[in-house]
Amino acid sequence: MLIQIATHQPQMLWPIVQGTPHWVWGLLAALLWLGLTQTLPRQAGLRRALLSPLALAGFSAWGLVSAFGGSTALAGALGAWLLAAALACATSLAWHRAPAAGTRYDAQARRFHLPGSPVPLLLILAIFLTKYAVGVELALQPALAQDGAFTLQIAALYGMFNGLFLARAARLWRLAQRGSQGGPAFA
């Protein structure tokens, strides 16, 4: 329905935006800041680099539970989310085995030197916009929360995003393991 509103009655989008709780815009600002910091070269500790994908996975899981918690399809949605995350992670790791060029790990300091990339920003925004669009759709059509096909599609989309983040963390973990064992810690 949101796509129909956007294409046939775009003037209705402004009231939707105005009706959005203020905390959502604060969350968006924080996520934008987080994503924008990822576009610049930076250093990150081992724990932070590996826990960030888990935090975003938690955000996605919260999105599923908050949207479909009362649905009988929640268990299937969580399964679809996990399956999509595993497939996206495996595919990404098969396609790009090494971290981004210029990534280094200092084993002594336990810190990564990471090049900037717009990819994390885009994935963070994709997760946020998916959560926002699902919230709007469910407000406009509450019966969608009980629609198994809709639930599975959204779960798979969240899972795909999370799988890409987890693949990045796995690449960094491998780099850290090589660096900790005295091997080359460059990618």
Side-chain angles (χ1 to χ4, degrees), residues 1-82:
M1 176 173 268
L2 188 56
I3 292 174
Q4 290 174 337
I5 290 172
T7 57
H8 299 298
Q9 297 174 332
Q11 70 278 7
M12 288 184 62
L13 291 177
W14 185 242
I16 291 171
V17 170
Q18 285 180 312
T20 300
H22 295 294
W23 67 266
V24 172
W25 303 122
L27 177 61
L28 176 59
L31 291 172
L32 280 171
W33 174 82
L34 175 64
L36 287 170
T37 63
Q38 307 272 322
T39 64
L40 303 170
R42 68 203 176 287
Q43 293 185 20
L46 178 62
R47 183 175 295 152
R48 179 173 178 231
L50 299 178
L51 289 180
S52 292
L54 295 177
L56 287 167
F59 183 59
S60 287
W62 171 67
L64 280 177
V65 172
S66 66
F68 307 111
S71 170
T72 57
L74 182 60
L78 291 172
W81 176 66
L82 286 171

Side-chain angles (χ1 to χ4, degrees), residues 47-166:
R47 183 175 295 152
R48 179 173 178 231
L50 299 178
L51 289 180
S52 292
L54 295 177
L56 287 167
F59 183 59
S60 287
W62 171 67
L64 280 177
V65 172
S66 66
F68 307 111
S71 170
T72 57
L74 182 60
L78 291 172
W81 176 66
L82 286 171
L83 179 62
L87 288 173
C89 184
T91 301
S92 180
L93 287 172
W95 200 354
H96 300 287
R97 297 194 53 76
T103 302
R104 294 179 298 130
Y105 180 68
D106 180 346
Q108 195 169 15
R110 296 179 52 107
R111 297 194 69 71
F112 291 99
H113 300 274
L114 303 166
S117 171
V119 173
L121 172 63
L122 295 174
L123 288 172
I124 288 168
L125 286 175
I127 291 170
F128 175 86
L129 290 173
T130 300
K131 171 97 176 86
Y132 185 81
V134 168
V136 170
E137 282 291 346
L138 292 174
L140 295 172
Q141 299 180 79
L144 276 178
Q146 302 302 319
D147 183 334
F150 180 76
T151 303
L152 290 176
Q153 290 170 10
I154 298 305
L157 188 59
Y158 279 140
M160 181 191 70
F161 296 145
N162 289 130
L164 296 175
F165 270 117
L166 291 172

